[in-house]
Amino acid sequence: MQIQDAVASRHSIRAFLPTPVDPEAIRKVLTLAARAPSGGNLQPWHIDVVTGDALAGLRAQMRRNLMEGREPEPTEYDIYPPHLRSPWRDRRFQVGEAMYARLGIPREDKAARRRWFANNFDFFGAPMALFCSVDRSMGPPQWSDLGMYLQTVMLLLRGEGLDSCAQECWAIYPVTIGKAIELPPERMLFCGMAIGHRNREHPVNGLVSDRAPVEEWLRFRGA
Ligand SMILES: Cc1cc2nc3c(=O)[nH]c(=O)nc-3n(C[C@H](O)[C@H](O)[C@H](O)COP(=O)(O)O)c2cc1C
């Protein structure tokens, strides 16, 4: 696959087929993705892959938590800035509305929106998942390195015919996930990622999120 095709065909997939994913393919992707650059070559990423029984167990536990109406746990980092302003606030709102429009769930139907959101905690039906964590001593530059690693993973997954959805929603269950993957106390959970084959029939996967016009964020000097 050409790099351009991998970039263009990567979308966040929110409905997966149950088709299994070969653990060896994932090992290959995760290993090659470590060629991603990182400041000072720190390679600050830590990855836990969860599949098979472990994934089934976590799914069941999340289902129980949600059914019992368990409150989310305190987050360990701000998923968004506390006072998200325009244009970022608008972009967030817009992608959410575009997704719910595809699902036919109106704004007023908060219960249906909550039910849909809960699919996150089923990894959208994916047969494989990973969690990314980082040593608590690391700062913003190293967190950006995590992003480089994760995007490299998502592009290489396309090369294997696989799809993904990065999932920061797991940051609202840091204790549950910390226990499930036996995260050492010095490490902080950043996000999860659902991995599998996209369900082409599902309307949510037809969402192609907008991008701001380049004039909003790009400047050339001297060209
Ligand atoms: C770090 C990160 C965390 C994300 N967390 C979630 C999530 O919890 N649930 C979800 O449905 N999408 C999540 N997304 C997907 C974004 O909403 C998506 O990337 C964005 O809307 C752009 O759409 P695209 O990925 O299809 O291009 C996350 C993306 C990133 C990069």
Short mmCIF file of all heavy atoms in Angstrom, two decimals, residues 175-215:
data_model
loop_
_atom_site.label_atom_id
_atom_site.label_comp_id
_atom_site.label_asym_id
_atom_site.label_seq_id
_atom_site.Cartn_x
_atom_site.Cartn_y
_atom_site.Cartn_z
N VAL A 175 -8.34 3.43 36.79
CA VAL A 175 -8.11 2.43 37.85
C VAL A 175 -8.48 1.03 37.33
O VAL A 175 -7.71 0.08 37.44
CB VAL A 175 -8.93 2.78 39.12
CG1 VAL A 175 -8.73 1.72 40.20
CG2 VAL A 175 -8.54 4.17 39.64
N THR A 176 -9.67 0.97 36.70
CA THR A 176 -10.13 -0.31 36.15
C THR A 176 -9.11 -0.87 35.15
O THR A 176 -8.75 -2.06 35.21
CB THR A 176 -11.49 -0.11 35.43
OG1 THR A 176 -12.40 0.44 36.38
CG2 THR A 176 -12.04 -1.39 34.88
N ILE A 177 -8.66 -0.02 34.23
CA ILE A 177 -7.73 -0.50 33.21
C ILE A 177 -6.37 -0.79 33.82
O ILE A 177 -5.72 -1.78 33.48
CB ILE A 177 -7.61 0.51 32.04
CG1 ILE A 177 -8.98 0.74 31.40
CG2 ILE A 177 -6.61 0.04 30.99
CD1 ILE A 177 -9.73 -0.53 31.02
N GLY A 178 -5.96 0.07 34.76
CA GLY A 178 -4.68 -0.16 35.45
C GLY A 178 -4.65 -1.56 36.06
O GLY A 178 -3.64 -2.26 35.96
N LYS A 179 -5.78 -1.94 36.69
CA LYS A 179 -5.83 -3.28 37.30
C LYS A 179 -5.86 -4.36 36.23
O LYS A 179 -5.16 -5.37 36.31
CB LYS A 179 -7.11 -3.40 38.14
CG LYS A 179 -6.93 -2.84 39.53
CD LYS A 179 -8.09 -3.29 40.44
CE LYS A 179 -8.13 -2.40 41.67
NZ LYS A 179 -9.45 -1.86 41.97
N ALA A 180 -6.67 -4.14 35.20
CA ALA A 180 -6.85 -5.17 34.16
C ALA A 180 -5.53 -5.50 33.45
O ALA A 180 -5.29 -6.65 33.10
CB ALA A 180 -7.90 -4.72 33.15
N ILE A 181 -4.71 -4.47 33.24
CA ILE A 181 -3.45 -4.73 32.50
C ILE A 181 -2.23 -4.69 33.43
O ILE A 181 -1.09 -4.67 32.96
CB ILE A 181 -3.27 -3.78 31.28
CG1 ILE A 181 -3.17 -2.32 31.71
CG2 ILE A 181 -4.39 -3.97 30.26
CD1 ILE A 181 -2.81 -1.37 30.57
N GLU A 182 -2.52 -4.66 34.72
CA GLU A 182 -1.44 -4.63 35.73
C GLU A 182 -0.41 -3.54 35.43
O GLU A 182 0.79 -3.80 35.34
CB GLU A 182 -0.77 -6.00 35.83
CG GLU A 182 -1.73 -7.07 36.33
CD GLU A 182 -1.10 -8.45 36.35
OE1 GLU A 182 -0.84 -8.97 35.26
OE2 GLU A 182 -0.88 -8.98 37.45
N LEU A 183 -0.93 -2.34 35.30
CA LEU A 183 -0.07 -1.19 34.99
C LEU A 183 0.74 -0.86 36.25
O LEU A 183 0.15 -0.70 37.32
CB LEU A 183 -0.97 -0.01 34.62
CG LEU A 183 -0.44 1.04 33.66
CD1 LEU A 183 -0.03 0.44 32.34
CD2 LEU A 183 -1.49 2.12 33.46
N PRO A 184 2.07 -0.75 36.13
CA PRO A 184 2.83 -0.38 37.34
C PRO A 184 2.47 1.05 37.77
O PRO A 184 2.12 1.87 36.91
CB PRO A 184 4.29 -0.48 36.88
CG PRO A 184 4.27 -0.62 35.41
CD PRO A 184 2.90 -1.00 34.96
N PRO A 185 2.53 1.34 39.06
CA PRO A 185 2.06 2.64 39.57
C PRO A 185 2.77 3.84 38.94
O PRO A 185 2.21 4.93 38.87
CB PRO A 185 2.32 2.58 41.08
CG PRO A 185 3.14 1.36 41.32
CD PRO A 185 3.01 0.46 40.14
N GLU A 186 3.99 3.65 38.47
CA GLU A 186 4.73 4.79 37.90
C GLU A 186 4.27 5.13 36.48
O GLU A 186 4.72 6.07 35.88
CB GLU A 186 6.25 4.56 37.94
CG GLU A 186 6.79 3.47 37.02
CD GLU A 186 6.71 2.06 37.64
OE1 GLU A 186 6.03 1.89 38.68
OE2 GLU A 186 7.33 1.14 37.07
N ARG A 187 3.32 4.32 35.96
CA ARG A 187 2.88 4.56 34.59
C ARG A 187 1.46 5.09 34.52
O ARG A 187 0.60 4.67 35.29
CB ARG A 187 3.02 3.30 33.78
CG ARG A 187 4.22 3.50 32.83
CD ARG A 187 4.23 2.54 31.75
NE ARG A 187 4.96 1.36 32.12
CZ ARG A 187 4.57 0.16 31.70
NH1 ARG A 187 3.49 0.01 30.95
NH2 ARG A 187 5.28 -0.88 32.03
N MET A 188 1.22 6.01 33.59
CA MET A 188 -0.12 6.58 33.40
C MET A 188 -0.70 6.08 32.08
O MET A 188 0.00 6.02 31.06
CB MET A 188 -0.02 8.11 33.34
CG MET A 188 -1.38 8.78 33.46
SD MET A 188 -1.35 10.53 33.10
CE MET A 188 -0.40 11.13 34.46
N LEU A 189 -1.98 5.73 32.16
CA LEU A 189 -2.67 5.29 30.94
C LEU A 189 -2.94 6.52 30.08
O LEU A 189 -3.45 7.53 30.57
CB LEU A 189 -4.00 4.64 31.34
CG LEU A 189 -4.90 4.22 30.18
CD1 LEU A 189 -4.31 3.03 29.42
CD2 LEU A 189 -6.30 3.88 30.69
N PHE A 190 -2.61 6.45 28.78
CA PHE A 190 -2.98 7.52 27.86
C PHE A 190 -4.28 7.17 27.17
O PHE A 190 -5.31 7.81 27.39
CB PHE A 190 -1.85 7.79 26.87
CG PHE A 190 -2.23 8.68 25.71
CD1 PHE A 190 -3.13 9.74 25.88
CD2 PHE A 190 -1.69 8.47 24.43
CE1 PHE A 190 -3.50 10.57 24.80
CE2 PHE A 190 -2.05 9.29 23.36
CZ PHE A 190 -2.95 10.33 23.55
N CYS A 191 -4.27 6.11 26.35
CA CYS A 191 -5.49 5.81 25.59
C CYS A 191 -5.53 4.33 25.22
O CYS A 191 -4.56 3.60 25.43
CB CYS A 191 -5.57 6.67 24.32
SG CYS A 191 -4.31 6.26 23.09
N GLY A 192 -6.65 3.94 24.69
CA GLY A 192 -6.80 2.59 24.14
C GLY A 192 -6.89 2.69 22.63
O GLY A 192 -6.88 3.80 22.05
N MET A 193 -6.94 1.54 21.99
CA MET A 193 -7.16 1.52 20.54
C MET A 193 -7.86 0.21 20.18
O MET A 193 -7.40 -0.88 20.57
CB MET A 193 -5.84 1.61 19.78
CG MET A 193 -6.01 1.70 18.26
SD MET A 193 -4.44 1.59 17.37
CE MET A 193 -3.67 3.12 17.85
N ALA A 194 -8.99 0.33 19.49
CA ALA A 194 -9.69 -0.85 18.99
C ALA A 194 -9.08 -1.20 17.63
O ALA A 194 -8.80 -0.31 16.82
CB ALA A 194 -11.18 -0.53 18.83
N ILE A 195 -8.89 -2.51 17.40
CA ILE A 195 -8.23 -2.96 16.16
C ILE A 195 -9.00 -4.12 15.55
O ILE A 195 -9.36 -5.08 16.25
CB ILE A 195 -6.78 -3.43 16.46
CG1 ILE A 195 -5.95 -2.25 17.01
CG2 ILE A 195 -6.11 -4.01 15.21
CD1 ILE A 195 -4.59 -2.66 17.54
N GLY A 196 -9.26 -4.06 14.26
CA GLY A 196 -9.94 -5.17 13.59
C GLY A 196 -10.28 -4.81 12.15
O GLY A 196 -9.64 -3.94 11.55
N HIS A 197 -11.31 -5.51 11.65
CA HIS A 197 -11.75 -5.28 10.27
C HIS A 197 -13.02 -4.45 10.30
O HIS A 197 -13.96 -4.76 11.03
CB HIS A 197 -12.03 -6.61 9.58
CG HIS A 197 -10.82 -7.47 9.43
ND1 HIS A 197 -10.43 -8.36 10.39
CD2 HIS A 197 -9.91 -7.55 8.43
CE1 HIS A 197 -9.31 -8.98 10.00
NE2 HIS A 197 -8.99 -8.50 8.81
N ARG A 198 -13.07 -3.42 9.46
CA ARG A 198 -14.25 -2.54 9.47
C ARG A 198 -15.48 -3.27 8.96
O ARG A 198 -15.38 -4.08 8.02
CB ARG A 198 -13.99 -1.28 8.65
CG ARG A 198 -13.90 -1.44 7.16
CD ARG A 198 -13.67 -0.10 6.46
NE ARG A 198 -12.29 0.40 6.62
CZ ARG A 198 -11.86 1.58 6.17
NH1 ARG A 198 -12.68 2.40 5.54
NH2 ARG A 198 -10.60 1.95 6.34
N ASN A 199 -16.62 -2.95 9.57
CA ASN A 199 -17.90 -3.41 9.06
C ASN A 199 -18.36 -2.36 8.03
O ASN A 199 -18.74 -1.24 8.40
CB ASN A 199 -18.90 -3.52 10.21
CG ASN A 199 -20.27 -3.95 9.74
OD1 ASN A 199 -20.53 -4.01 8.53
ND2 ASN A 199 -21.16 -4.22 10.67
N ARG A 200 -18.29 -2.73 6.77
CA ARG A 200 -18.59 -1.77 5.70
C ARG A 200 -20.07 -1.44 5.63
O ARG A 200 -20.47 -0.46 5.02
CB ARG A 200 -18.12 -2.30 4.33
CG ARG A 200 -16.63 -2.39 4.27
CD ARG A 200 -16.11 -2.93 2.94
NE ARG A 200 -14.68 -3.19 3.09
CZ ARG A 200 -13.74 -2.26 3.00
NH1 ARG A 200 -14.05 -1.02 2.70
NH2 ARG A 200 -12.47 -2.56 3.19
N GLU A 201 -20.89 -2.30 6.22
CA GLU A 201 -22.35 -2.09 6.15
C GLU A 201 -22.81 -1.06 7.17
O GLU A 201 -23.91 -0.53 7.03
CB GLU A 201 -23.09 -3.40 6.49
CG GLU A 201 -22.58 -4.63 5.78
CD GLU A 201 -23.07 -4.67 4.35
OE1 GLU A 201 -24.28 -4.75 4.18
OE2 GLU A 201 -22.21 -4.60 3.43
N HIS A 202 -22.02 -0.83 8.21
CA HIS A 202 -22.51 0.00 9.30
C HIS A 202 -22.41 1.49 8.95
O HIS A 202 -21.33 1.95 8.56
CB HIS A 202 -21.71 -0.28 10.58
CG HIS A 202 -22.43 0.16 11.81
ND1 HIS A 202 -22.66 1.49 12.11
CD2 HIS A 202 -23.01 -0.54 12.81
CE1 HIS A 202 -23.33 1.58 13.24
NE2 HIS A 202 -23.57 0.35 13.68
N PRO A 203 -23.53 2.23 9.11
CA PRO A 203 -23.52 3.63 8.69
C PRO A 203 -22.45 4.48 9.38
O PRO A 203 -21.92 5.42 8.77
CB PRO A 203 -24.92 4.15 9.05
CG PRO A 203 -25.56 3.09 9.89
CD PRO A 203 -24.84 1.81 9.63
N VAL A 204 -22.10 4.14 10.64
CA VAL A 204 -21.14 5.02 11.34
C VAL A 204 -19.79 5.04 10.64
O VAL A 204 -19.06 6.03 10.71
CB VAL A 204 -20.99 4.59 12.83
CG1 VAL A 204 -20.10 3.38 12.99
CG2 VAL A 204 -20.46 5.75 13.67
N ASN A 205 -19.47 3.94 9.95
CA ASN A 205 -18.16 3.87 9.30
C ASN A 205 -18.11 4.67 8.00
O ASN A 205 -17.04 4.81 7.40
CB ASN A 205 -17.77 2.41 9.07
CG ASN A 205 -17.42 1.73 10.38
OD1 ASN A 205 -17.09 2.40 11.36
ND2 ASN A 205 -17.50 0.41 10.41
N GLY A 206 -19.24 5.20 7.58
CA GLY A 206 -19.25 6.06 6.39
C GLY A 206 -18.87 7.49 6.73
O GLY A 206 -18.71 8.33 5.82
N LEU A 207 -18.70 7.76 8.01
CA LEU A 207 -18.34 9.13 8.42
C LEU A 207 -16.92 9.47 7.96
O LEU A 207 -15.97 8.76 8.27
CB LEU A 207 -18.40 9.25 9.95
CG LEU A 207 -17.87 10.55 10.55
CD1 LEU A 207 -18.75 11.74 10.16
CD2 LEU A 207 -17.79 10.44 12.07
N VAL A 208 -16.82 10.54 7.19
CA VAL A 208 -15.48 11.07 6.86
C VAL A 208 -15.42 12.44 7.52
O VAL A 208 -16.11 13.37 7.10
CB VAL A 208 -15.26 11.16 5.33
CG1 VAL A 208 -13.87 11.73 5.04
CG2 VAL A 208 -15.40 9.77 4.69
N SER A 209 -14.62 12.52 8.58
CA SER A 209 -14.60 13.75 9.37
C SER A 209 -14.01 14.91 8.56
O SER A 209 -13.14 14.70 7.72
CB SER A 209 -13.80 13.52 10.65
OG SER A 209 -12.53 13.01 10.32
N ASP A 210 -14.49 16.11 8.85
CA ASP A 210 -14.00 17.32 8.16
C ASP A 210 -12.58 17.64 8.58
O ASP A 210 -12.14 17.20 9.63
CB ASP A 210 -14.86 18.53 8.58
CG ASP A 210 -16.20 18.53 7.88
OD1 ASP A 210 -16.36 17.78 6.91
OD2 ASP A 210 -17.09 19.27 8.36
N ARG A 211 -11.95 18.45 7.77
CA ARG A 211 -10.70 19.07 8.18
C ARG A 211 -10.81 20.56 7.91
O ARG A 211 -11.44 20.98 6.92
CB ARG A 211 -9.49 18.50 7.42
CG ARG A 211 -9.15 17.06 7.78
CD ARG A 211 -8.74 16.89 9.24
NE ARG A 211 -8.33 15.52 9.56
CZ ARG A 211 -9.15 14.56 10.00
NH1 ARG A 211 -10.45 14.79 10.15
NH2 ARG A 211 -8.67 13.36 10.29
N ALA A 212 -10.23 21.35 8.81
CA ALA A 212 -10.24 22.81 8.64
C ALA A 212 -9.48 23.17 7.37
O ALA A 212 -8.51 22.47 7.02
CB ALA A 212 -9.58 23.45 9.85
N PRO A 213 -9.91 24.23 6.67
CA PRO A 213 -9.14 24.65 5.49
C PRO A 213 -7.71 25.00 5.90
O PRO A 213 -7.51 25.56 6.98
CB PRO A 213 -9.88 25.90 5.00
CG PRO A 213 -11.06 26.09 5.88
CD PRO A 213 -11.02 25.09 6.99
N VAL A 214 -6.76 24.68 5.05
CA VAL A 214 -5.35 24.87 5.44
C VAL A 214 -5.04 26.32 5.81
O VAL A 214 -4.18 26.58 6.65
CB VAL A 214 -4.35 24.40 4.35
CG1 VAL A 214 -4.38 22.90 4.22
CG2 VAL A 214 -4.58 25.08 3.03
N GLU A 215 -5.80 27.27 5.21
CA GLU A 215 -5.54 28.69 5.51
C GLU A 215 -5.69 28.98 7.00
O GLU A 215 -5.14 29.95 7.51
CB GLU A 215 -6.50 29.62 4.74
CG GLU A 215 -6.37 29.56 3.23
CD GLU A 215 -6.97 28.28 2.64
OE1 GLU A 215 -7.95 27.76 3.22
OE2 GLU A 215 -6.43 27.80 1.62
#
